[in-house]
Amino acid sequence: MLEDKNPARTSLENLGEFGLIKHLTQHFELAQPSSIKGIGDDAAILDFKDKKTVVSTDLLVEGVHFDLSYMPLKHLGYKSVIVNLSDIYAMNAQATQITVSLAVSNRFPLEALEEFYAGVAQACKMYKVDLIGGDTTSSTKGMLISVTALGVVDEKDISYRTGAKPNDLLVVTGDLGGAYLGLQVLEREKEVFKVNPNSQPDLEPYSYIVERQLKPEARKDIVELLQKLEVRPTAMIDISDGLSSEILHLCDQSQVGCNLFEDKIPLDPTVISTAEEFNMDSTMIALGGGEEYELLFTIDQADFPKIKGNPNLTVIGHMTSKGEGAHLVTRANTKIELTAQGWNSFGE
Amino acid sequence: MLEDKNPARTSLENLGEFGLIKHLTQHFELAQPSSIKGIGDDAAILDFKDKKTVVSTDLLVEGVHFDLSYMPLKHLGYKSVIVNLSDIYAMNAQATQITVSLAVSNRFPLEALEEFYAGVAQACKMYKVDLIGGDTTSSTKGMLISVTALGVVDEKDISYRTGAKPNDLLVVTGDLGGAYLGLQVLEREKEVFKVNPNSQPDLEPYSYIVERQLKPEARKDIVELLQKLEVRPTAMIDISDGLSSEILHLCDQSQVGCNLFEDKIPLDPTVISTAEEFNMDSTMIALGGGEEYELLFTIDQADFPKIKGNPNLTVIGHMTSKGEGAHLVTRANTKIELTAQGWNSFGE
């Protein structure tokens, strides 16, 4: 859709690889004291002093992870960064730098890549991270994005997935299901548009969930909040593949079980009403819907008074011994075994 | 060519994303003392203590950077790592960790990815780097590889591209042109094979240059050698896009000029004979041929006695003032302006 239909646009071939990287990254400035040397040499140089270095990487593929027919390129640039920062925050760390690599068909005009990098720049500014490297190359088809995020953490603050203990409380940030339902709304509008290209979609009633899909945020604020509250999660993970799948990761890696209470799962009113409209069960959506980028963590019960009543944090269950397994306790008070509803990109 | 023609092979769909990553990385062990936590959490944790962190990233696209019809997947895995390590060594740093992300069409059988990771494992072992992260996902077409390499360096040892001064000597490691000519030989054999699939290519006379293309090495040994010789390059870069292009980068970023002497450019006898066979000029090949992964650096003239006679190092010229420009001094003693012959992946 964004490939070059307009011959007046600037072709990538004229710039070449070096010119392109230079052009796209010329307005990025280094703001982190740990960024010694950014783009422009064989490698970047960073100085994390006595802190530990945190590294995470992700690959996003057009037609698999995003659809340019409803994802504006600026939002895509923003979201590509967010997805990676979320992994750094999930270690209870601060994100400090990113590298962004892009493979695009040479039929994308330069202006499209500028849009993408404008989104990257906005995320860098919002989250105070520096763009310190990357690669830009051609692809034989479509667009592919690879982001690596770096961060720092004090050793005592690290939250692995492995530290949850029986009786720890299970806590989630924000609310769930919005990103998945936002995608359903966008997919529906795309089908309507195919039939009638003159239709004007009214997305206003869905603005919250569409934004959760197109412009998600990562929970940098939660890492800062936990620091302030003096709470160190015993285990933490971010919700990229659905609540259910992430709970099972925590249980598996910490060797514990879990009781998750259906009536505690935080849902926005838009999620509830849109789920009804689509004839879907909102609990199933919260359990299986990916791309939320909320944080899921466990805390010692002794820390409960510190987080009680905080509007950003909801206790949704507690951990048990491994032998008890992982269950959803429904509103009707029956126990159902939790199964991964994680998104599998290799499935059909 | 390696897509799934044999239905007995293991389909990626059956494993799913988590199973796939786990399966492919299960035999990788952490060997670097700086690797605290590798694959298996939201992010990896590293401890570089009082050293500086070095980061570099690259994207390799099927049909643009490699051709699976003559590049065995194990070699591709190896080379993907080498390409990135070379950038770390070009900062005069030690490489310590890598992340490897892979996007593949789900028609690649599991066994193909195992081959790829076997090559990654071999490179990790050879170069003593740890695989600490990555992502594996599906693509709509072909294969795409993203590697990020991390390393450490003492502040006093860092060699940027910016430090060359007039009168510094220009030094190159190894010999040049082999990787490019190796590719020409492979392309020729591919054409022969298309016409006559029963032909048995005799690559024996070309084994050195074919290996330079299919299984290049990065010059970790040179960083160690320079340390031993107590030589700190005033500027350094690796040769990924051709000698000429890299010299111009050094000149541009260090604000100097250069005289490069044609008769000093190190060429292997196989390069000379194969260039003749292809009716090509071996100097032009050395100037323009990419993917050598040799190091190009400048040193203060006072350091010359320390490197003199070392078989790994060849002085090929010297830097001048910026106003004098960058020139090739030919065997006939005429001066020709150097132009970038760098490889442009967006070109036709």
Side-chain angles (χ1 to χ4, degrees):
Chain A
M1 161 163 254
L2 279 142
E3 306 218 351
D4 197 1
K5 287 172 192 149
N6 180 351
R9 295 193 163 194
T10 315
S11 151
L12 296 184
E13 286 160 52
N14 304 337
L15 274 162
E17 270 192 273
F18 302 119
L20 184 58
I21 294 169
K22 241 185 199 170
H23 178 87
L24 292 171
T25 59
Q26 61 190 334
H27 300 302
F28 283 82
E29 280 169 20
L30 300 181
Q32 282 285 343
S34 57
S35 300
I36 308 296
K37 168 78 190 175
I39 291 166
D41 215 299
D42 294 282
I45 303 280
L46 312 175
D47 183 3
F48 293 132
K49 300 199 192 294
D50 54 342
K51 301 213 175 197
K52 303 289 173 275
T53 304
V54 190
V55 186
S56 177
T57 193
D58 258 310
L59 209 54
L60 301 173
V61 182
E62 184 183 349
V64 178
H65 299 97
F66 58 90
D67 183 334
L68 289 177
S69 61
Y70 46 71
M71 180 58 121
L73 276 166
K74 191 173 174 184
H75 285 70
L76 182 61
Y78 192 87
K79 185 169 175 175
S80 305
V81 177
I82 295 309
V83 169
N84 270 266
L85 298 186
S86 183
D87 281 321
I88 302 292
Y89 301 136
M91 302 306 286
N92 204 23
Q94 296 163 277
T96 45
Q97 287 90 7
I98 52 164
T99 68
V100 175
S101 295
L102 207 56
V104 284
S105 138
N106 62 12
R107 293 165 60 206
F108 278 82
L110 176 63
E111 289 72 13
L113 303 197
E114 286 173 343
E115 273 298 293
F116 177 86
Y117 272 86
V120 170
Q122 201 186 329
C124 284
K125 205 175 159 191
M126 274 293 291
Y127 288 86
K128 294 192 172 51
V129 297
D130 291 343
L131 179 73
I132 52 130
D135 195 3
T136 311
T137 186
S138 65
S139 76
T140 45
K141 190 186 169 196
M143 188 174 198
L144 194 141
I145 305 150
S146 173
V147 179
T148 297
L150 293 128
V152 288
V153 65
D154 278 334
E155 188 162 17
K156 64 173 178 42
D157 293 329
I158 303 173
S159 286
Y160 291 114
R161 296 178 179 177
T162 50
K165 302 177 308 293
N167 301 318
D168 279 358
L169 299 176
L170 183 66
V171 184
V172 73
T173 64
D175 52 71
L176 300 174
Y180 176 83
L181 278 175
L183 183 62
Q184 303 313 307
V185 169
L186 290 165
E187 297 267 14
R188 184 177 66 184
E189 293 309 323
K190 186 182 170 184
E191 292 308 313
V192 171
F193 181 83
K194 276 185 192 163
V195 176
N196 176 11
N198 294 317
S199 71
Q200 287 289 330
D202 179 16
L203 293 178
E204 221 284 311
Y206 309 105
S207 59
Y208 176 70
I209 58 175
V210 166
E211 189 163 328
R212 292 283 291 176
Q213 171 60 224
L214 294 184
K215 194 168 175 288
E217 301 292 348
R219 301 308 306 255
K220 174 187 166 77
D221 60 326
I222 298 296
V223 175
E224 291 161 358
L225 175 69
L226 292 172
Q227 199 82 34
K228 216 180 82 188
L229 297 175
E230 294 180 2
V231 173
R232 192 188 69 84
T234 52
M236 184 146 66
I237 193 168
D238 77 322
I239 303 184
S240 50
D241 298 298
L243 178 63
S244 179
S245 169
E246 311 303 354
I247 288 176
L248 291 175
H249 278 305
L250 286 185
C251 287
D252 180 44
Q253 293 189 244
S254 292
Q255 298 283 301
V256 292
C258 177
N259 285 325
L260 165 70
F261 296 93
E262 183 181 15
D263 63 345
K264 303 293 185 196
I265 298 172
L267 302 171
D268 187 84
T270 318
V271 167
I272 296 168
S273 61
T274 313
E276 275 173 18
E277 191 185 324
F278 277 81
N279 267 318
M280 291 169 126
D281 182 273
S282 54
T283 300
M284 291 313 289
I285 289 169
L287 287 175
E291 300 195 280
E292 295 290 344
Y293 307 111
E294 297 293 345
L295 294 172
L296 177 73
F297 58 91
T298 53
I299 59 167
D300 192 290
Q301 287 209 7
D303 282 333
F304 177 62
K306 298 182 192 169
I307 67 152
K308 194 180 166 186
N310 190 300
N312 288 296
L313 306 175
T314 310
V315 177
I316 55 173
H318 60 85
M319 311 318 270
T320 63
S321 71
K322 192 185 174 189
E324 292 180 56
H327 292 92
L328 173 74
V329 182
T330 67
R331 285 193 188 86
N333 209 23
T334 53
K335 270 177 123 174
I336 304 174
E337 203 185 324
L338 273 185
T339 53
Q341 316 259 342
W343 181 65
N344 174 1
S345 81
F346 286 106
E348 287 308 293
Chain B
M1 162 161 246
L2 279 143
E3 306 218 351
D4 198 1
K5 288 171 191 151
N6 180 350
R9 293 192 165 195
T10 315
S11 151
L12 297 184
E13 287 159 52
N14 303 336
L15 275 162
E17 271 192 273
F18 302 120
L20 185 57
I21 294 169
K22 238 185 201 170
H23 178 86
L24 292 170
T25 61
Q26 61 189 334
H27 300 302
F28 283 81
E29 280 169 20
L30 300 181
Q32 283 284 344
S34 57
S35 301
I36 308 297
K37 168 78 190 176
I39 291 167
D41 215 300
D42 295 282
I45 303 280
L46 312 175
D47 184 2
F48 292 131
K49 301 199 192 294
D50 54 342
K51 301 214 175 198
K52 302 290 173 272
T53 305
V54 190
V55 186
S56 176
T57 194
D58 258 310
L59 209 55
L60 301 172
V61 183
E62 184 182 349
V64 178
H65 300 97
F66 57 89
D67 183 335
L68 289 178
S69 61
Y70 46 70
M71 180 57 122
L73 276 166
K74 190 172 174 183
H75 285 69
L76 182 61
Y78 192 87
K79 186 170 175 175
S80 305
V81 177
I82 296 310
V83 169
N84 270 266
L85 298 185
S86 183
D87 281 321
I88 302 293
Y89 301 136
M91 302 305 287
N92 204 23
Q94 296 164 278
T96 45
Q97 286 90 9
I98 52 164
T99 69
V100 175
S101 295
L102 207 56
V104 284
S105 138
N106 62 12
R107 292 166 62 205
F108 278 83
L110 176 64
E111 288 72 12
L113 303 197
E114 286 174 342
E115 273 298 294
F116 177 87
Y117 272 86
V120 170
Q122 202 186 329
C124 284
K125 204 175 162 192
M126 275 293 291
Y127 288 86
K128 294 193 171 51
V129 296
D130 291 343
L131 179 73
I132 52 132
D135 195 5
T136 312
T137 186
S138 65
S139 74
T140 45
K141 190 185 168 196
M143 188 173 197
L144 194 142
I145 305 151
S146 172
V147 179
T148 297
L150 293 128
V152 287
V153 65
D154 278 334
E155 188 162 19
K156 64 173 177 45
D157 292 330
I158 303 173
S159 286
Y160 292 114
R161 296 177 178 176
T162 50
K165 300 177 307 296
N167 302 318
D168 279 358
L169 299 175
L170 182 66
V171 184
V172 73
T173 64
D175 53 71
L176 300 175
Y180 176 84
L181 277 175
L183 183 62
Q184 303 313 307
V185 169
L186 290 165
E187 298 267 13
R188 183 176 67 184
E189 293 309 322
K190 186 182 169 184
E191 293 308 313
V192 172
F193 180 83
K194 276 185 192 164
V195 177
N196 175 12
N198 293 318
S199 72
Q200 287 289 329
D202 179 16
L203 294 179
E204 221 284 310
Y206 310 105
S207 58
Y208 175 69
I209 58 176
V210 166
E211 188 162 329
R212 292 284 289 175
Q213 172 60 224
L214 294 184
K215 194 168 176 286
E217 301 292 349
R219 301 309 305 254
K220 173 188 167 80
D221 60 327
I222 298 296
V223 174
E224 291 162 357
L225 175 68
L226 292 172
Q227 199 82 32
K228 216 179 83 189
L229 297 176
E230 294 180 5
V231 173
R232 191 188 70 82
T234 52
M236 184 147 66
I237 193 168
D238 77 322
I239 303 184
S240 49
D241 298 298
L243 178 62
S244 180
S245 169
E246 311 302 355
I247 289 176
L248 291 174
H249 278 305
L250 286 186
C251 287
D252 180 44
Q253 294 189 243
S254 292
Q255 298 284 299
V256 292
C258 177
N259 285 325
L260 165 69
F261 295 92
E262 183 181 15
D263 63 344
K264 303 292 185 196
I265 298 172
L267 301 172
D268 187 85
T270 319
V271 168
I272 296 169
S273 61
T274 313
E276 275 173 16
E277 191 184 324
F278 277 81
N279 267 317
M280 292 170 126
D281 182 273
S282 55
T283 300
M284 291 313 290
I285 288 169
L287 288 175
E291 301 195 279
E292 295 290 345
Y293 307 111
E294 297 293 344
L295 294 173
L296 177 74
F297 58 91
T298 54
I299 59 167
D300 193 288
Q301 287 209 9
D303 282 332
F304 177 63
K306 298 183 191 167
I307 68 151
K308 195 181 164 185
N310 191 300
N312 289 295
L313 306 175
T314 310
V315 177
I316 55 173
H318 60 85
M319 311 319 271
T320 62
S321 71
K322 193 186 174 188
E324 294 180 54
H327 292 91
L328 174 73
V329 181
T330 67
R331 286 194 187 85
N333 209 24
T334 54
K335 270 177 123 175
I336 305 174
E337 202 185 326
L338 273 185
T339 53
Q341 316 258 344
W343 181 66
N344 174 359
S345 80
F346 287 105
E348 287 307 292

